[in-house]
Amino acid sequence: MSKDRVFAESFSQIKAFEFDEKVVAVFPDMIKRSVPGYDTILKGIAMLAMKYIQPNTFVYDLGASLGAVSLTIDQAIGSQSVVIHAIDNSEPMIEALQKSLGEIKLNNSIQTSLADIENIPIKNASMVVSNFTLQFIPIINRAAICQSIYDGLEQGGVFVLSEKIKSSESMIDYYHGFKKINGYSDMEVAQKRQALEDSLKPDAIEVWQKRLEVVGFKQIEVWFQAFNFVSIVAVK
Ligand code: GEK
């Protein structure tokens, strides 16, 4: 696995963070060292997939990146004639995902789309997952996407939403300590924080819970939290 050194050099000017070729090449290492509990969250998604996915339905992996969620779900549920829609608007991500899908045997079908998740229709879904993606959508558009997810789910279907959340300065400080333990320098942490400033806008957990309630979800539970990272399960 190639090591993430994207912010290891000192830059005189920090460009906005992008999911470009440089990031794609180190993405598995980056996400594991940056998201507390990433592997546990994938296991939780596998468990929820086994519980909620119905045969012959659609599953949506919003902001699929290199397909970790789609592949985990496919493995977890076995052959169920499900179509997993893996959607991402980064061309290098989708190209790398397509390449790796060509090399493995799947139980179900994974269909990749290079698209903005704000423009894709969601229908006949038994599971929708956004594993750290809605945080990149403009805040003003988040309610509408939650509504389209709710509307596209079958009754009894599940939405799993993982997000970096707005939190206290002390929690952010603890999180930066976690990144240092994972081998990032102070400079890398500071430069990444600056690069993400405009693109990743965290909402408070209460804001997310309310938004999910307003669109119609009845059972909304936080099933994972570490530092300023959470994963919520919402059932229709
Ligand atoms: C994982 N889920 O490994 N439309 C489509 N894709 C988008 C959009 C958008 N509007 N905005 C951002 N993305 C993955 C990790 S990463 C999280 C998800 C992170 C895509 C973007 O290109 C990137 O691949 C992904 O969402 C977010 O479980 O890097 O913090």
Side-chain angles (χ1 to χ4, degrees), residues 184-216:
Y184 286 112
S185 68
D186 286 334
M187 187 182 71
E188 282 175 291
V189 170
Q191 293 194 140
K192 174 101 181 247
R193 185 181 189 179
Q194 202 180 331
L196 282 172
E197 210 145 64
D198 291 330
S199 58
L200 197 171
K201 300 258 186 237
D203 268 322
I205 191 160
E206 298 79 16
V207 171
W208 277 115
Q209 285 165 318
K210 186 80 201 153
R211 201 176 267 141
L212 294 173
E213 195 186 313
V214 167
V215 302

PDB file of all heavy atoms in Angstrom, residues 184-216:
ATOM      1  N   TYR A 184       1.455  11.047  11.007  1.00  0.00           N
ATOM      2  CA  TYR A 184       1.444  12.340  10.306  1.00  0.00           C
ATOM      3  C   TYR A 184       2.174  13.378  11.155  1.00  0.00           C
ATOM      4  O   TYR A 184       2.021  13.394  12.388  1.00  0.00           O
ATOM      5  CB  TYR A 184       0.009  12.819  10.068  1.00  0.00           C
ATOM      6  CG  TYR A 184      -0.728  12.063   8.978  1.00  0.00           C
ATOM      7  CD1 TYR A 184      -1.807  11.240   9.280  1.00  0.00           C
ATOM      8  CD2 TYR A 184      -0.362  12.210   7.633  1.00  0.00           C
ATOM      9  CE1 TYR A 184      -2.498  10.557   8.289  1.00  0.00           C
ATOM     10  CE2 TYR A 184      -1.050  11.526   6.638  1.00  0.00           C
ATOM     11  CZ  TYR A 184      -2.115  10.709   6.963  1.00  0.00           C
ATOM     12  OH  TYR A 184      -2.792  10.040   5.974  1.00  0.00           O
ATOM     13  N   SER A 185       2.946  14.250  10.497  1.00  0.00           N
ATOM     14  CA  SER A 185       3.654  15.307  11.230  1.00  0.00           C
ATOM     15  C   SER A 185       2.691  16.465  11.505  1.00  0.00           C
ATOM     16  O   SER A 185       1.634  16.571  10.870  1.00  0.00           O
ATOM     17  CB  SER A 185       4.830  15.817  10.395  1.00  0.00           C
ATOM     18  OG  SER A 185       4.328  16.502   9.256  1.00  0.00           O
ATOM     19  N   ASP A 186       3.099  17.360  12.404  1.00  0.00           N
ATOM     20  CA  ASP A 186       2.291  18.563  12.680  1.00  0.00           C
ATOM     21  C   ASP A 186       2.047  19.338  11.383  1.00  0.00           C
ATOM     22  O   ASP A 186       0.954  19.848  11.141  1.00  0.00           O
ATOM     23  CB  ASP A 186       3.021  19.487  13.668  1.00  0.00           C
ATOM     24  CG  ASP A 186       2.971  18.925  15.079  1.00  0.00           C
ATOM     25  OD1 ASP A 186       2.032  18.168  15.386  1.00  0.00           O
ATOM     26  OD2 ASP A 186       3.883  19.228  15.871  1.00  0.00           O
ATOM     27  N   MET A 187       3.090  19.417  10.547  1.00  0.00           N
ATOM     28  CA  MET A 187       2.955  20.181   9.307  1.00  0.00           C
ATOM     29  C   MET A 187       1.938  19.521   8.358  1.00  0.00           C
ATOM     30  O   MET A 187       1.097  20.192   7.756  1.00  0.00           O
ATOM     31  CB  MET A 187       4.313  20.285   8.616  1.00  0.00           C
ATOM     32  CG  MET A 187       4.287  21.193   7.414  1.00  0.00           C
ATOM     33  SD  MET A 187       5.888  21.243   6.612  1.00  0.00           S
ATOM     34  CE  MET A 187       5.958  19.615   5.894  1.00  0.00           C
ATOM     35  N   GLU A 188       1.994  18.210   8.260  1.00  0.00           N
ATOM     36  CA  GLU A 188       1.021  17.509   7.401  1.00  0.00           C
ATOM     37  C   GLU A 188      -0.408  17.743   7.900  1.00  0.00           C
ATOM     38  O   GLU A 188      -1.315  18.007   7.116  1.00  0.00           O
ATOM     39  CB  GLU A 188       1.303  15.997   7.386  1.00  0.00           C
ATOM     40  CG  GLU A 188       2.467  15.602   6.495  1.00  0.00           C
ATOM     41  CD  GLU A 188       2.785  14.109   6.610  1.00  0.00           C
ATOM     42  OE1 GLU A 188       3.262  13.693   7.682  1.00  0.00           O
ATOM     43  OE2 GLU A 188       2.555  13.391   5.632  1.00  0.00           O
ATOM     44  N   VAL A 189      -0.583  17.645   9.215  1.00  0.00           N
ATOM     45  CA  VAL A 189      -1.915  17.830   9.800  1.00  0.00           C
ATOM     46  C   VAL A 189      -2.407  19.254   9.494  1.00  0.00           C
ATOM     47  O   VAL A 189      -3.544  19.457   9.057  1.00  0.00           O
ATOM     48  CB  VAL A 189      -1.892  17.572  11.332  1.00  0.00           C
ATOM     49  CG1 VAL A 189      -3.200  17.992  11.982  1.00  0.00           C
ATOM     50  CG2 VAL A 189      -1.607  16.094  11.609  1.00  0.00           C
ATOM     51  N   ALA A 190      -1.528  20.228   9.698  1.00  0.00           N
ATOM     52  CA  ALA A 190      -1.923  21.635   9.518  1.00  0.00           C
ATOM     53  C   ALA A 190      -2.236  21.938   8.050  1.00  0.00           C
ATOM     54  O   ALA A 190      -3.237  22.591   7.732  1.00  0.00           O
ATOM     55  CB  ALA A 190      -0.814  22.545  10.021  1.00  0.00           C
ATOM     56  N   GLN A 191      -1.398  21.418   7.156  1.00  0.00           N
ATOM     57  CA  GLN A 191      -1.607  21.712   5.722  1.00  0.00           C
ATOM     58  C   GLN A 191      -2.877  21.031   5.197  1.00  0.00           C
ATOM     59  O   GLN A 191      -3.607  21.607   4.402  1.00  0.00           O
ATOM     60  CB  GLN A 191      -0.374  21.288   4.913  1.00  0.00           C
ATOM     61  CG  GLN A 191       0.845  22.125   5.233  1.00  0.00           C
ATOM     62  CD  GLN A 191       1.997  21.968   4.236  1.00  0.00           C
ATOM     63  OE1 GLN A 191       2.638  22.945   3.892  1.00  0.00           O
ATOM     64  NE2 GLN A 191       2.271  20.778   3.763  1.00  0.00           N
ATOM     65  N   LYS A 192      -3.137  19.815   5.662  1.00  0.00           N
ATOM     66  CA  LYS A 192      -4.357  19.106   5.216  1.00  0.00           C
ATOM     67  C   LYS A 192      -5.584  19.853   5.743  1.00  0.00           C
ATOM     68  O   LYS A 192      -6.580  20.021   5.042  1.00  0.00           O
ATOM     69  CB  LYS A 192      -4.335  17.660   5.727  1.00  0.00           C
ATOM     70  CG  LYS A 192      -5.612  16.873   5.457  1.00  0.00           C
ATOM     71  CD  LYS A 192      -5.507  15.944   4.281  1.00  0.00           C
ATOM     72  CE  LYS A 192      -6.767  15.172   3.985  1.00  0.00           C
ATOM     73  NZ  LYS A 192      -6.668  13.756   4.211  1.00  0.00           N
ATOM     74  N   ARG A 193      -5.510  20.292   7.003  1.00  0.00           N
ATOM     75  CA  ARG A 193      -6.640  21.005   7.595  1.00  0.00           C
ATOM     76  C   ARG A 193      -6.973  22.240   6.746  1.00  0.00           C
ATOM     77  O   ARG A 193      -8.129  22.510   6.443  1.00  0.00           O
ATOM     78  CB  ARG A 193      -6.270  21.427   9.027  1.00  0.00           C
ATOM     79  CG  ARG A 193      -7.421  22.049   9.753  1.00  0.00           C
ATOM     80  CD  ARG A 193      -7.055  22.492  11.149  1.00  0.00           C
ATOM     81  NE  ARG A 193      -8.255  22.893  11.871  1.00  0.00           N
ATOM     82  CZ  ARG A 193      -8.273  23.302  13.121  1.00  0.00           C
ATOM     83  NH1 ARG A 193      -7.176  23.374  13.806  1.00  0.00           N
ATOM     84  NH2 ARG A 193      -9.403  23.660  13.693  1.00  0.00           N
ATOM     85  N   GLN A 194      -5.913  22.959   6.328  1.00  0.00           N
ATOM     86  CA  GLN A 194      -6.132  24.165   5.526  1.00  0.00           C
ATOM     87  C   GLN A 194      -6.699  23.816   4.145  1.00  0.00           C
ATOM     88  O   GLN A 194      -7.611  24.474   3.653  1.00  0.00           O
ATOM     89  CB  GLN A 194      -4.794  24.895   5.382  1.00  0.00           C
ATOM     90  CG  GLN A 194      -4.951  26.362   5.045  1.00  0.00           C
ATOM     91  CD  GLN A 194      -3.593  27.035   4.907  1.00  0.00           C
ATOM     92  OE1 GLN A 194      -2.605  26.621   5.539  1.00  0.00           O
ATOM     93  NE2 GLN A 194      -3.531  28.031   4.053  1.00  0.00           N
ATOM     94  N   ALA A 195      -6.182  22.736   3.546  1.00  0.00           N
ATOM     95  CA  ALA A 195      -6.636  22.336   2.207  1.00  0.00           C
ATOM     96  C   ALA A 195      -8.111  21.941   2.203  1.00  0.00           C
ATOM     97  O   ALA A 195      -8.816  22.100   1.211  1.00  0.00           O
ATOM     98  CB  ALA A 195      -5.785  21.174   1.700  1.00  0.00           C
ATOM     99  N   LEU A 196      -8.586  21.405   3.346  1.00  0.00           N
ATOM    100  CA  LEU A 196      -9.981  20.928   3.416  1.00  0.00           C
ATOM    101  C   LEU A 196     -10.958  22.019   3.837  1.00  0.00           C
ATOM    102  O   LEU A 196     -12.171  21.817   3.792  1.00  0.00           O
ATOM    103  CB  LEU A 196     -10.093  19.760   4.406  1.00  0.00           C
ATOM    104  CG  LEU A 196      -9.628  18.387   3.920  1.00  0.00           C
ATOM    105  CD1 LEU A 196      -9.624  17.402   5.078  1.00  0.00           C
ATOM    106  CD2 LEU A 196     -10.509  17.851   2.791  1.00  0.00           C
ATOM    107  N   GLU A 197     -10.405  23.163   4.240  1.00  0.00           N
ATOM    108  CA  GLU A 197     -11.242  24.203   4.845  1.00  0.00           C
ATOM    109  C   GLU A 197     -12.486  24.563   4.025  1.00  0.00           C
ATOM    110  O   GLU A 197     -13.571  24.689   4.574  1.00  0.00           O
ATOM    111  CB  GLU A 197     -10.399  25.453   5.077  1.00  0.00           C
ATOM    112  CG  GLU A 197     -10.864  26.266   6.256  1.00  0.00           C
ATOM    113  CD  GLU A 197      -9.691  26.908   6.978  1.00  0.00           C
ATOM    114  OE1 GLU A 197      -9.035  27.750   6.343  1.00  0.00           O
ATOM    115  OE2 GLU A 197      -9.431  26.538   8.141  1.00  0.00           O
ATOM    116  N   ASP A 198     -12.310  24.695   2.703  1.00  0.00           N
ATOM    117  CA  ASP A 198     -13.444  25.133   1.888  1.00  0.00           C
ATOM    118  C   ASP A 198     -14.309  23.988   1.394  1.00  0.00           C
ATOM    119  O   ASP A 198     -15.469  24.184   1.066  1.00  0.00           O
ATOM    120  CB  ASP A 198     -12.939  25.921   0.666  1.00  0.00           C
ATOM    121  CG  ASP A 198     -12.350  27.245   1.113  1.00  0.00           C
ATOM    122  OD1 ASP A 198     -12.818  27.774   2.138  1.00  0.00           O
ATOM    123  OD2 ASP A 198     -11.405  27.706   0.450  1.00  0.00           O
ATOM    124  N   SER A 199     -13.741  22.777   1.303  1.00  0.00           N
ATOM    125  CA  SER A 199     -14.521  21.692   0.682  1.00  0.00           C
ATOM    126  C   SER A 199     -15.238  20.804   1.695  1.00  0.00           C
ATOM    127  O   SER A 199     -16.289  20.250   1.400  1.00  0.00           O
ATOM    128  CB  SER A 199     -13.622  20.830  -0.205  1.00  0.00           C
ATOM    129  OG  SER A 199     -12.573  20.293   0.549  1.00  0.00           O
ATOM    130  N   LEU A 200     -14.684  20.673   2.909  1.00  0.00           N
ATOM    131  CA  LEU A 200     -15.322  19.782   3.889  1.00  0.00           C
ATOM    132  C   LEU A 200     -15.921  20.630   5.003  1.00  0.00           C
ATOM    133  O   LEU A 200     -15.195  21.180   5.831  1.00  0.00           O
ATOM    134  CB  LEU A 200     -14.285  18.798   4.455  1.00  0.00           C
ATOM    135  CG  LEU A 200     -14.812  17.558   5.171  1.00  0.00           C
ATOM    136  CD1 LEU A 200     -13.675  16.587   5.461  1.00  0.00           C
ATOM    137  CD2 LEU A 200     -15.593  17.808   6.430  1.00  0.00           C
ATOM    138  N   LYS A 201     -17.238  20.745   4.966  1.00  0.00           N
ATOM    139  CA  LYS A 201     -17.929  21.581   5.960  1.00  0.00           C
ATOM    140  C   LYS A 201     -18.714  20.679   6.901  1.00  0.00           C
ATOM    141  O   LYS A 201     -19.803  20.214   6.545  1.00  0.00           O
ATOM    142  CB  LYS A 201     -18.897  22.539   5.253  1.00  0.00           C
ATOM    143  CG  LYS A 201     -18.224  23.482   4.270  1.00  0.00           C
ATOM    144  CD  LYS A 201     -18.076  24.849   4.893  1.00  0.00           C
ATOM    145  CE  LYS A 201     -17.542  25.853   3.892  1.00  0.00           C
ATOM    146  NZ  LYS A 201     -16.312  26.481   4.341  1.00  0.00           N
ATOM    147  N   PRO A 202     -18.182  20.403   8.095  1.00  0.00           N
ATOM    148  CA  PRO A 202     -18.905  19.498   8.994  1.00  0.00           C
ATOM    149  C   PRO A 202     -20.125  20.150   9.631  1.00  0.00           C
ATOM    150  O   PRO A 202     -20.120  21.347   9.917  1.00  0.00           O
ATOM    151  CB  PRO A 202     -17.870  19.146  10.052  1.00  0.00           C
ATOM    152  CG  PRO A 202     -16.813  20.184   9.980  1.00  0.00           C
ATOM    153  CD  PRO A 202     -16.896  20.862   8.657  1.00  0.00           C
ATOM    154  N   ASP A 203     -21.164  19.371   9.822  1.00  0.00           N
ATOM    155  CA  ASP A 203     -22.355  19.801  10.563  1.00  0.00           C
ATOM    156  C   ASP A 203     -22.312  19.143  11.938  1.00  0.00           C
ATOM    157  O   ASP A 203     -21.730  18.069  12.092  1.00  0.00           O
ATOM    158  CB  ASP A 203     -23.627  19.291   9.854  1.00  0.00           C
ATOM    159  CG  ASP A 203     -24.177  20.306   8.865  1.00  0.00           C
ATOM    160  OD1 ASP A 203     -24.140  21.513   9.164  1.00  0.00           O
ATOM    161  OD2 ASP A 203     -24.658  19.868   7.802  1.00  0.00           O
ATOM    162  N   ALA A 204     -22.991  19.749  12.900  1.00  0.00           N
ATOM    163  CA  ALA A 204     -23.087  19.128  14.228  1.00  0.00           C
ATOM    164  C   ALA A 204     -23.940  17.864  14.128  1.00  0.00           C
ATOM    165  O   ALA A 204     -24.826  17.768  13.259  1.00  0.00           O
ATOM    166  CB  ALA A 204     -23.707  20.105  15.212  1.00  0.00           C
ATOM    167  N   ILE A 205     -23.717  16.940  15.033  1.00  0.00           N
ATOM    168  CA  ILE A 205     -24.461  15.671  14.993  1.00  0.00           C
ATOM    169  C   ILE A 205     -25.968  15.908  15.128  1.00  0.00           C
ATOM    170  O   ILE A 205     -26.775  15.259  14.456  1.00  0.00           O
ATOM    171  CB  ILE A 205     -23.918  14.670  16.040  1.00  0.00           C
ATOM    172  CG1 ILE A 205     -24.518  13.300  15.792  1.00  0.00           C
ATOM    173  CG2 ILE A 205     -24.169  15.112  17.468  1.00  0.00           C
ATOM    174  CD1 ILE A 205     -23.739  12.174  16.404  1.00  0.00           C
ATOM    175  N   GLU A 206     -26.348  16.877  15.958  1.00  0.00           N
ATOM    176  CA  GLU A 206     -27.783  17.168  16.157  1.00  0.00           C
ATOM    177  C   GLU A 206     -28.411  17.653  14.853  1.00  0.00           C
ATOM    178  O   GLU A 206     -29.589  17.398  14.592  1.00  0.00           O
ATOM    179  CB  GLU A 206     -27.995  18.244  17.234  1.00  0.00           C
ATOM    180  CG  GLU A 206     -27.508  17.869  18.624  1.00  0.00           C
ATOM    181  CD  GLU A 206     -25.992  18.010  18.809  1.00  0.00           C
ATOM    182  OE1 GLU A 206     -25.338  18.668  17.978  1.00  0.00           O
ATOM    183  OE2 GLU A 206     -25.467  17.417  19.784  1.00  0.00           O
ATOM    184  N   VAL A 207     -27.634  18.387  14.063  1.00  0.00           N
ATOM    185  CA  VAL A 207     -28.146  18.896  12.783  1.00  0.00           C
ATOM    186  C   VAL A 207     -28.448  17.719  11.858  1.00  0.00           C
ATOM    187  O   VAL A 207     -29.509  17.660  11.219  1.00  0.00           O
ATOM    188  CB  VAL A 207     -27.130  19.876  12.134  1.00  0.00           C
ATOM    189  CG1 VAL A 207     -27.524  20.247  10.714  1.00  0.00           C
ATOM    190  CG2 VAL A 207     -26.967  21.103  13.007  1.00  0.00           C
ATOM    191  N   TRP A 208     -27.550  16.752  11.821  1.00  0.00           N
ATOM    192  CA  TRP A 208     -27.769  15.563  10.987  1.00  0.00           C
ATOM    193  C   TRP A 208     -28.976  14.761  11.475  1.00  0.00           C
ATOM    194  O   TRP A 208     -29.809  14.308  10.686  1.00  0.00           O
ATOM    195  CB  TRP A 208     -26.522  14.665  10.972  1.00  0.00           C
ATOM    196  CG  TRP A 208     -25.509  15.120   9.979  1.00  0.00           C
ATOM    197  CD1 TRP A 208     -24.257  15.597  10.218  1.00  0.00           C
ATOM    198  CD2 TRP A 208     -25.677  15.163   8.550  1.00  0.00           C
ATOM    199  NE1 TRP A 208     -23.632  15.930   9.047  1.00  0.00           N
ATOM    200  CE2 TRP A 208     -24.473  15.677   8.012  1.00  0.00           C
ATOM    201  CE3 TRP A 208     -26.717  14.829   7.677  1.00  0.00           C
ATOM    202  CZ2 TRP A 208     -24.296  15.848   6.635  1.00  0.00           C
ATOM    203  CZ3 TRP A 208     -26.529  15.003   6.309  1.00  0.00           C
ATOM    204  CH2 TRP A 208     -25.338  15.508   5.808  1.00  0.00           C
ATOM    205  N   GLN A 209     -29.063  14.586  12.796  1.00  0.00           N
ATOM    206  CA  GLN A 209     -30.180  13.789  13.335  1.00  0.00           C
ATOM    207  C   GLN A 209     -31.512  14.448  12.993  1.00  0.00           C
ATOM    208  O   GLN A 209     -32.456  13.778  12.558  1.00  0.00           O
ATOM    209  CB  GLN A 209     -30.014  13.619  14.853  1.00  0.00           C
ATOM    210  CG  GLN A 209     -28.929  12.611  15.180  1.00  0.00           C
ATOM    211  CD  GLN A 209     -28.473  12.675  16.630  1.00  0.00           C
ATOM    212  OE1 GLN A 209     -28.306  13.757  17.182  1.00  0.00           O
ATOM    213  NE2 GLN A 209     -28.260  11.540  17.259  1.00  0.00           N
ATOM    214  N   LYS A 210     -31.580  15.767  13.128  1.00  0.00           N
ATOM    215  CA  LYS A 210     -32.817  16.507  12.847  1.00  0.00           C
ATOM    216  C   LYS A 210     -33.160  16.403  11.356  1.00  0.00           C
ATOM    217  O   LYS A 210     -34.308  16.172  10.960  1.00  0.00           O
ATOM    218  CB  LYS A 210     -32.606  17.980  13.266  1.00  0.00           C
ATOM    219  CG  LYS A 210     -33.825  18.834  13.181  1.00  0.00           C
ATOM    220  CD  LYS A 210     -34.711  18.595  14.397  1.00  0.00           C
ATOM    221  CE  LYS A 210     -36.127  19.026  14.125  1.00  0.00           C
ATOM    222  NZ  LYS A 210     -37.131  18.340  14.893  1.00  0.00           N
ATOM    223  N   ARG A 211     -32.129  16.572  10.516  1.00  0.00           N
ATOM    224  CA  ARG A 211     -32.333  16.516   9.062  1.00  0.00           C
ATOM    225  C   ARG A 211     -32.918  15.161   8.657  1.00  0.00           C
ATOM    226  O   ARG A 211     -33.831  15.089   7.835  1.00  0.00           O
ATOM    227  CB  ARG A 211     -30.965  16.718   8.409  1.00  0.00           C
ATOM    228  CG  ARG A 211     -30.995  17.170   6.999  1.00  0.00           C
ATOM    229  CD  ARG A 211     -29.571  17.427   6.515  1.00  0.00           C
ATOM    230  NE  ARG A 211     -29.110  18.781   6.658  1.00  0.00           N
ATOM    231  CZ  ARG A 211     -27.871  19.132   7.036  1.00  0.00           C
ATOM    232  NH1 ARG A 211     -26.965  18.208   7.314  1.00  0.00           N
ATOM    233  NH2 ARG A 211     -27.541  20.395   7.125  1.00  0.00           N
ATOM    234  N   LEU A 212     -32.402  14.093   9.259  1.00  0.00           N
ATOM    235  CA  LEU A 212     -32.894  12.748   8.917  1.00  0.00           C
ATOM    236  C   LEU A 212     -34.329  12.566   9.412  1.00  0.00           C
ATOM    237  O   LEU A 212     -35.161  11.943   8.733  1.00  0.00           O
ATOM    238  CB  LEU A 212     -31.970  11.677   9.515  1.00  0.00           C
ATOM    239  CG  LEU A 212     -30.551  11.651   8.932  1.00  0.00           C
ATOM    240  CD1 LEU A 212     -29.660  10.676   9.703  1.00  0.00           C
ATOM    241  CD2 LEU A 212     -30.563  11.273   7.446  1.00  0.00           C
ATOM    242  N   GLU A 213     -34.606  13.137  10.576  1.00  0.00           N
ATOM    243  CA  GLU A 213     -35.967  13.032  11.133  1.00  0.00           C
ATOM    244  C   GLU A 213     -36.962  13.803  10.247  1.00  0.00           C
ATOM    245  O   GLU A 213     -38.031  13.289   9.916  1.00  0.00           O
ATOM    246  CB  GLU A 213     -35.930  13.638  12.538  1.00  0.00           C
ATOM    247  CG  GLU A 213     -37.112  13.304  13.400  1.00  0.00           C
ATOM    248  CD  GLU A 213     -37.027  14.088  14.708  1.00  0.00           C
ATOM    249  OE1 GLU A 213     -35.945  14.121  15.335  1.00  0.00           O
ATOM    250  OE2 GLU A 213     -38.061  14.672  15.068  1.00  0.00           O
ATOM    251  N   VAL A 214     -36.569  14.992   9.832  1.00  0.00           N
ATOM    252  CA  VAL A 214     -37.465  15.847   9.028  1.00  0.00           C
ATOM    253  C   VAL A 214     -37.826  15.174   7.697  1.00  0.00           C
ATOM    254  O   VAL A 214     -38.963  15.261   7.247  1.00  0.00           O
ATOM    255  CB  VAL A 214     -36.813  17.244   8.801  1.00  0.00           C
ATOM    256  CG1 VAL A 214     -37.529  18.035   7.726  1.00  0.00           C
ATOM    257  CG2 VAL A 214     -36.778  18.016  10.118  1.00  0.00           C
ATOM    258  N   VAL A 215     -36.870  14.472   7.073  1.00  0.00           N
ATOM    259  CA  VAL A 215     -37.199  13.842   5.787  1.00  0.00           C
ATOM    260  C   VAL A 215     -38.053  12.585   5.964  1.00  0.00           C
ATOM    261  O   VAL A 215     -38.594  12.065   4.999  1.00  0.00           O
ATOM    262  CB  VAL A 215     -35.962  13.533   4.911  1.00  0.00           C
ATOM    263  CG1 VAL A 215     -35.168  14.794   4.631  1.00  0.00           C
ATOM    264  CG2 VAL A 215     -35.083  12.454   5.507  1.00  0.00           C
ATOM    265  N   GLY A 216     -38.159  12.063   7.193  1.00  0.00           N
ATOM    266  CA  GLY A 216     -39.095  10.962   7.422  1.00  0.00           C
ATOM    267  C   GLY A 216     -38.555   9.743   8.131  1.00  0.00           C
ATOM    268  O   GLY A 216     -39.328   8.848   8.481  1.00  0.00           O
TER     269      GLY A 216
END
